[in-house]
Each structure stands twice: as C-alpha cells, then as structure tokens.
Amino acid sequence: MIELLTDPTVWASLITLTALEIVLGIDNVVFISVVTSKLSPELAKRARQIGLMLALVFRIILLFFISAIVALKDPVFTAFGLALSWKDIILIVGGGFLIWKAVGHIHDEVEEDAVGEAKVSAPKAFNMVIGQIVLIDLVFSVDSIITAVGLADHIEVMVAAVVIAVGVMYVAAGPVSAFIERHPTTKVLALAFLLLIGVALVADGLGFHIPRGYIYTAMAFSAAVEAINIVKRRKKNRPM
C-alpha cells in the first residue's frame, strides 16, 4: 500500500480514471434527476440517495469480479453477421431502455399528459423509479468498470476512483435536480441528452462506436444556449 502511495504513475492513473468516471457518471446523474422529478421532494431525495448508493455498490462489486467482467467482451453468439458479447447485449438493452424512457418523457412534456401525472403520484411510483434506477445503474456500472480495467492496473486505484466519482455524483445530484425543477425547459434538454446516450449505447453494442466527446460537446453547446435563454427570461421577468 505504501508503494502505491509513493508511485507517481499510480497517482496519475487515479486522477485520470477519477476524471473519466465523473464524466461517465454525468449520464447516471441526469437520468436519476429526470426519473425522480415527478416524485415529491422527500421521495425524490430518498430515491437519489438509494440510486447513487446502488451505483457505488454495483461498481465496487463488479470490480472484484474483474476477470468475469473482462470476459463479457468475448462473443457469445452471432446475429445478423454481428458477433455479440454479453457486454454488447447489456449495452443494447440499456440503450434501448434509455431511448424508450426519454421518448416517453418527451411525449409527456409536449402533450402535458394529465394521466401520466396521476400515475407517478401513485404509491407504487417510488418503487417503479427505484427499479428503473437499478437497471440503468447496472448498465452504466458495467460500461464504467470495463473502462476502469483498461486504464488502471491496481484494484485499489479503481475502487478509490469509483468512490470519489460517486461522491461527486452524490453532491451534484441534488443541485442538478433542483435546477431542472426550477427551469422546466432544461428537462427537455436533459431528455434529449439521455436519448443521445441511449443511441450511443445501442450503437456501441452493435459495434459502431460513437466518440462520447462529440455527444458531450453538442450537449455543452446546447446547454450554453439554454443558459443564455434562462438569463434572458430572468431579465425580462425582472420588475422595472
């Protein structure tokens, strides 16, 4: 352990891996913020806490099954000329679920579906939200841990990076959810972001890698434009 603490390459890999895990965690935070937005503030906070705790637990458990995780990249069968592994299947299913949820929420936002509002206020809404978070946590955790295995050689470094990243996600989840709640138009932007991530996950599963940098750059530009619109509306509504 002392050797790890005094090795500059270990610190470099920890910083790099932590930064990457935080970036990958953005998707997790946005999804949790969106699916909990229709719960009461108390239940939403509890759901975010449970969701992020599960994200941490899943990632740490998967780290201790690294050999099995790496084996997920080995093809298990061929379909339509594509050799698919368990990782590919998980990404396709998870990406498809993200696309379905994003499109459904966008439809509700456009149509202002009163029936949908009644459904989410039902007692079972909390359990439904937790179930959705568990599924997406698992998908993002597999993607995250496979990335970690490729960047670090020591499991201690991977665990430390994951713990730090989830800690940052925990701190950020509340403000992100509050911001989306205060500015409803940003919810559609967040849903569009999840839709893009879902498409990217499905594409990855089918063997067509879409660099995340393109997606994050496009969303950062859109977020900057939306920020300008928020400032403009705020100034317009300000009493003279």
Side-chain angles (χ1 to χ4, degrees), residues 63-85:
L63 279 174
F64 287 95
F65 292 91
I66 289 178
S67 58
I69 296 299
V70 172
L72 288 177
K73 295 189 287 186
D74 298 333
V76 290
F77 68 91
T78 302
F80 305 105
L82 294 173
L84 299 177
S85 65

